[in-house]
Amino acid sequence: MAPMTAAGEEMHALVERLYPLCRSITGDGVRATLEIVGEYLPLKVHEVPTGTRVLDWTVPQEWNIRDAYIADATGRRVVDFAASSLHVLGYSVPVSATMPLAELRAHLHTLPDHPAWVPYRTSYYQPEWGFCLAQDTLDALPDGEYEVRVDSTLADGHLTYAEHVVPGQVADEVIVSCHTCHPSLANDNLAGIAVATFLARTLAERTPYYTYRFLFAPGTIGAITWLARNAERVDRVKHGLVLACAGDPGRLTYKQSRRGDAEIDRVLRHVLAASERPHHITEFTPYGYDERQFCSPGFDLGVGSLSRTPYAGYPEYHTSADNPDFVSPEAMADTLALCGEAFAVLDRNRRYVNLSPYGEPQLGRRGLYDSLGGRSDAKQAQTAMLWVLSLSDGEHSLLDVAERSGLPFDTVAAAADALQGAELIKA
């Protein structure tokens, strides 16, 4: 089995293992998720107390749930949290009551357009309770009295997030972020968690130039909490990528940073085009995943977002149809490979200064031509050397060279390595 194919199967197995857990923006489900990810990567887990001020927000009370159901007059559970964590409105307050169906309906959420699917709904910051169920199930319920129970707690506790750092040659950082707050939703975002986990393992197999910081945190409030706690060192973050919806069958989609011309934007545009994968590039919008927190004007970090089909772009989004069968090992392996290709370019994208800028240096005398002998791409490699020498003025990067020359980035980077070895350029 090829390495990437094997990684795809392992990522899918991780998705299946995480799928049953009830996650939210706080609580034991998040901790259980991070404990499993911690079997693959060493994680530093952070617990931030309820009431902590984080930028313009406050860490909320912690929510945990043990059981929830709707039972008919015979005691049969017609809706059961034990069958799927999607059945309960996220952050539901405790309730224990008996009421007629007519009264209960105000607390029920369905998808009439997809009557067999269960929707995902939350009420994080407004006290509420509710259940999500298939429209088909609701339609089959007779009028009458129903027992309603949500055995949950909302109490002072903590918001939990985790970091994993892959050390680099420099302290400047690339942040890779994925949200951990959604319950049984495979593409959004267990696939993102799985790809991030295996990307970190892949990067650790080499010594990257940048330091890579992986952030596993609940959406919105998690990123805001991380930014609040790291505001004094956030200037180390030179590039970043938010991973979400990484396993569906759609084409790859890159959403650019707020800047639009950040280096990560240029790298992803270049790598996607060079790979000839079906893909789509979108402009930044202040709606979506946590790129909007990292790109908020006070921070304005160069952070984009990579997905396959974007949020809300597929019918299964935020429904029970987003299950492990919806994501594939092949799609996750492709997302992982694209990330590896992009970070390889990012890591090698330097600016050089020509140390022999007056006229063209004699490459043959330095054995540079001889080193190309027998190579099928000798002419291309020679051309790359000339382009690197021409644009090594301290202003142009190797990505600039590749784009202007039309040569593959790897060929340009190899030429730069050879020229630096011959002491004709310096970074």
Side-chain angles (χ1 to χ4, degrees), residues 141-152:
L141 295 182
D143 289 334
E145 296 289 310
Y146 288 86
E147 180 189 0
V148 179
R149 180 163 173 76
V150 177
D151 182 11
S152 64

Side-chain angles (χ1 to χ4, degrees), residues 13-342:
L14 177 57
V15 167
E16 290 182 314
R17 189 176 173 195
L18 294 174
Y19 184 76
L21 298 177
C22 183
R23 281 164 292 273
S24 189
I25 55 173
T26 62
D28 291 335
V30 176
R31 296 186 185 95
T33 298
L34 296 177
E35 184 175 341
I36 291 172
V37 173
E39 296 175 15
Y40 294 78
L41 299 172
L43 295 179
K44 182 176 182 180
V45 178
H46 303 267
E47 298 276 5
V48 185
T50 296
T52 303
R53 185 75 172 177
V54 286
L55 305 182
D56 195 44
W57 296 58
T58 302
V59 173
Q61 288 189 311
E62 181 176 325
W63 182 68
N64 286 294
I65 183 166
R66 287 165 291 277
D67 194 14
Y69 60 86
I70 301 172
D72 64 16
T74 70
R76 179 178 67 93
R77 294 189 178 193
V78 296
V79 179
D80 191 355
F81 168 74
S84 170
S85 59
L86 294 180
H87 277 310
V88 175
L89 178 79
Y91 254 63
S92 279
V93 298
V95 61
S96 181
T98 300
M99 64 186 67
L101 181 60
E103 181 181 344
L104 178 57
R105 283 181 181 275
H107 298 275
L108 302 182
H109 305 271
T110 65
L111 293 167
D113 292 342
H114 296 282
W117 297 355
V118 177
Y120 164 56
R121 299 287 185 267
T122 63
S123 184
Y124 293 142
Y125 301 105
Q126 294 293 331
E128 183 57 273
W129 64 268
F131 289 85
C132 299
L133 66 160
Q135 182 69 45
D136 287 344
T137 301
L138 177 58
D139 291 343
L141 295 182
D143 289 334
E145 296 289 310
Y146 288 86
E147 180 189 0
V148 179
R149 180 163 173 76
V150 177
D151 182 11
S152 64
T153 55
L154 270 168
D156 287 353
H158 297 83
L159 178 146
T160 309
Y161 71 90
E163 295 176 290
H164 171 79
V165 175
V166 179
Q169 299 171 36
V170 297
D172 290 345
E173 292 185 1
V174 180
I175 189 168
V176 180
S177 175
C178 57
H179 58 277
T180 58
C181 51
H182 287 181
S184 297
L185 299 172
N187 198 42
D188 182 23
N189 187 37
L190 296 180
I193 293 171
V195 170
T197 299
F198 279 75
L199 178 59
R201 292 175 63 174
T202 300
L203 289 171
E205 293 172 359
R206 61 179 193 247
T207 304
Y209 178 73
Y210 289 107
T211 293
Y212 285 81
R213 183 176 299 273
F214 287 78
L215 177 62
F216 300 87
T220 304
I221 187 66
I224 285 171
T225 298
W226 186 88
L227 286 164
R229 288 163 59 91
N230 292 273
E232 293 182 356
R233 57 177 302 282
V234 78
D235 59 334
R236 293 187 189 179
V237 177
K238 304 304 180 184
H239 320 282
L241 195 62
V242 172
L243 285 174
C245 302
D248 69 81
R251 63 183 176 177
L252 285 158
T253 299
Y254 177 68
K255 176 182 173 182
Q256 299 185 114
S257 72
R258 177 178 175 268
R259 300 180 195 172
D261 62 349
E263 189 171 346
I264 191 72
D265 300 327
R266 294 189 59 209
V267 167
L268 263 295
R269 290 196 299 260
H270 176 83
V271 171
L272 282 166
S275 74
E276 299 184 347
R277 289 178 173 90
H279 68 276
H280 185 54
I281 305 292
T282 67
E283 298 295 327
F284 176 82
T285 62
Y287 183 79
Y289 293 114
D290 283 328
E291 68 279 354
R292 68 189 197 275
Q293 311 306 334
F294 299 116
C295 293
S296 56
F299 294 107
D300 195 25
L301 300 176
V303 177
S305 177
L306 182 68
S307 62
R308 301 193 74 85
T309 307
Y311 55 87
Y314 50 98
E316 297 84 356
Y317 178 77
H318 280 193
T319 78
S320 57
D322 184 2
N323 57 48
D325 290 338
F326 180 62
V327 300
S328 72
E330 294 78 15
M332 285 187 283
D334 185 50
T335 306
L336 175 63
L338 187 280
C339 289
E341 293 163 23

Side-chain angles (χ1 to χ4, degrees), residues 354-399:
N354 189 332
L355 299 178
S356 182
Y358 298 102
E360 182 181 304
Q362 190 174 9
L363 301 181
R365 178 164 59 85
R366 294 173 171 84
L368 293 173
Y369 283 153
D370 293 341
S371 70
L372 304 177
R375 286 179 50 170
S376 60
D377 63 343
K379 182 65 176 178
Q380 188 180 66
Q382 177 184 335
T383 302
M385 288 186 189
L386 297 177
W387 270 109
V388 171
L389 287 167
S390 178
L391 294 180
S392 290
D393 52 10
E395 299 294 328
H396 293 84
S397 68
L398 294 186
L399 186 57

